[in-house]
C-alpha cells in the first residue's frame, strides 16, 4: 500500500476561502482585522515562521505587523510592549514567537497578553478553558489537525489515537481536544513521551498516530498498523548537500517506510504547517469579531 497524502495546503486554502466573507463583512463594518507578531532575537527558523505568517495575512486581507526586537531586549521592555498592544484597540491579535531568549521568562510574557487577544491559545485562561471543553482560542496546530480530519472525513470517534510528544503547544492540548465528546474528536487517547518504555507497543494498536516529538525517524513503518492515519507535526531541519540551501525539512516520521504501511499521511512540508497558519488567521478574525462587538 502507498499512503494517500493529506495535503495541508489544499485544506488551508479552503479555510481562507471560508474566511474571506467574514473578513469582507468585518471591513464593511469598519473593522480591519489586525495581527501583531513580536519576535525577539534572530533565530532563523523563527524568522521563517514569522515571515510565513505575515505573508499569509497579507494574501488574505488581514493587516499584520511584525515587531522585531534585539536578543538583548529585557523582560521588562517586552512586558511594556505587550501592555501597549493590549491597550491598542486597533490590535486584535498578539502573537509572541517562541522560543524567547533564555533571560526572558516565557510564562510571564504569555500571561501578560490579554486572553481576548491571545490568538495562539497559550494563555493559562485559554488553556484552562480548552481542558474544560469550553469555548476558547484553540492553539493553532491542534486546531489545524482537527481541521484536516474534518476535511478528509477522518473520524476519530471511538478510534485509538496515539500522540507522541507532550509539549504545551501540541501534544497536551491536542490530546485534550481529542478525548472530548465533540465532533471530530471523541477518541481513546494515549500519550507517549520520553519515559514511555515501548512506544511501538502503543503505535502498533493505533488507528491514528500524531507525531509531535521533534525528532526525525521517531516512527518507522514496522511500528504501525497497516492502513492507519499518520499526522506528522515534526519540522526538523537536516543537512543535505544535494539541496540548494544545504538543508531540507523532514518530519518525525521515517516517511519512506511509513508511507508503505499507513493508509494516509501528512507530508512535511505541506501537511500540518500550512494548517497552523490558517488557524492563526481564523483565530485573528475571531478575535477581531469579538473585540469589535464589545
Ligand atoms: N514557536 C513554534 N510554534 C509556535 C507557535 O505556534 N506560536 C508561537 N508563538 N511560537 C511558536
Amino acid at each position: 500500500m502507498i499512503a494517500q497524502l493529506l495535503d495541508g495546503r489544499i485544506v488551508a486554502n479552503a479555510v481562507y476561502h471560508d474566511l474571506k466573507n467574514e473578513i469582507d463583512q468585518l471591513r464593511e463594518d469598519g473593522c480591519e482585522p489586525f495581527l501583531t507578531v513580536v519576535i525577539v532575537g534572530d533565530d532563523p527558523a523563527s524568522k521563517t515562521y514569522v515571515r510565513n505568517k505575515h505573508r499569509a495575512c497579507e494574501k488574505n486581507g488581514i493587516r499584520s505587523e511584525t515587531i522585531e526586537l534585539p536578543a538583548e531586549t529585557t523582560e521588562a521592555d517586552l512586558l511594556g510592549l505587550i501592555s501597549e498592544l493590549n491597550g491598542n484597540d486597533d490590535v486584535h491579535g498578539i502573537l509572541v514567537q517562541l522560543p524567547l531568549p533564555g533571560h526572558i521568562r516565557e510564562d510571564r510574557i504569555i500571561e501578560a497578553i490579554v486572553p481576548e487577544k491571545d490568538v495562539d491559545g497559550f494563555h493559562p485562561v485559554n488553556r484552562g478553558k480548552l481542558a474544560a471543553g469550553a469555548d476558547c482560542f484553540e492553539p493553532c496546530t491542534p486546531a489545524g489537525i482537527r481541521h484536516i480530519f474534518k476535511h478528509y472525513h477522518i473520524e476519530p470517534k471511538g478510534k485509538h489515537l496515539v500522540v507522541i510528544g507532550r509539549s504545551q503547544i501540541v501534544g497536551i492540548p491536542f490530546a485534550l481536544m481529542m478525548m472530548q465528546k465533540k465532533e471530530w474528536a471523541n477518541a481513546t487517547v494515549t500519550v507517549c513521551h520520553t519515559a514511555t518504555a515501548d512506544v511501538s507497543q502503543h503505535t502498533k494498536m493505533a488507528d491514528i498516530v500524531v507525531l509531535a516529538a521533534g525528532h526525525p525517524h521517531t516512527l518507522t513503518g514496522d511500528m504501525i498498523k497497516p492502513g492507519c492515519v499518520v499526522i506528522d507535526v515534526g519540522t526538523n531541519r537536516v543537512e543535505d548537500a544535494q539541496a540548494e540551501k544545504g538543508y531540507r525539512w523532514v518530519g518525525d516520521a521515517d516517511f519512506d517506510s511509513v508511507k508503505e504501511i499507513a493508509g494516509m499521511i501528512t507530508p512535511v512540508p505541506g501537511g500540518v504547517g500550512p494548517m497552523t497558519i490558517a488557524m492563526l488567521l481564523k483565530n485573528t478574525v475571531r478575535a477581531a469579531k469579538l473585540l469589535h462587538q464589545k
Side-chain angles (χ1 to χ4, degrees), residues 49 53 95-99 120 122 141 169 276:
Y49 298 149
K53 289 169 187 178
L95 182 149
V96 178
Q97 186 67 25
L98 303 179
D120 252 334
F122 291 172
T141 301
I169 296 184
T276 298

Side-chain angles (χ1 to χ4, degrees), residues 26-199:
L26 271 166
R27 283 176 176 272
E28 261 177 47
D29 296 344
C31 170
E32 184 182 33
F34 182 20
L35 171 70
T36 296
V37 176
V38 181
I39 177 167
V40 185
D42 43 25
D43 175 64
S46 289
K47 281 194 149 180
T48 304
Y49 298 149
V50 165
R51 204 178 312 121
N52 289 340
K53 289 169 187 178
H54 181 70
R55 277 192 195 140
C57 285
E58 275 193 333
K59 225 176 122 180
N60 292 286
I62 293 177
R63 182 178 160 208
S64 107
E65 108 186 302
T66 303
I67 300 178
E68 296 186 35
L69 299 175
E72 315 79 67
T73 303
T74 64
E75 190 179 282
D77 282 349
L78 188 52
L79 287 170
L81 173 65
I82 302 288
S83 166
E84 228 174 86
L85 296 170
N86 283 340
N88 182 342
D89 289 342
D90 289 339
V91 174
H92 304 112
I94 303 170
L95 182 149
V96 178
Q97 186 67 25
L98 303 179
L100 289 168
H103 65 279
I104 301 178
R105 287 166 291 184
E106 285 182 353
D107 54 348
R108 288 284 175 99
I109 301 303
I110 290 166
E111 283 170 31
I113 299 170
V114 286
E116 293 80 9
K117 297 189 181 186
D118 170 38
V119 286
D120 252 334
F122 291 172
H123 190 283
V125 164
N126 284 314
R127 283 219 270 253
K129 284 185 176 177
L130 181 87
D135 206 27
C136 64
F137 286 108
E138 293 181 342
C140 302
T141 301
I145 300 170
R146 185 151 170 257
H147 226 85
I148 290 175
F149 289 165
K150 190 173 160 186
H151 183 94
Y152 283 100
H153 300 283
I154 299 163
E155 177 58 87
K157 183 179 175 183
K159 301 278 170 57
H160 182 207
L161 187 150
V162 173
V163 182
I164 305 184
R166 55 178 156 184
S167 70
Q168 293 292 341
I169 296 184
V170 184
I172 292 174
F174 188 66
L176 287 170
M177 274 166 72
M178 283 299 113
M179 68 175 83
Q180 283 162 0
K181 197 170 178 179
K182 289 191 178 172
E183 270 198 319
W184 306 107
N186 216 354
T188 302
V189 178
T190 299
V191 180
C192 295
H193 45 73
T194 45
T196 302
D198 180 4
V199 172

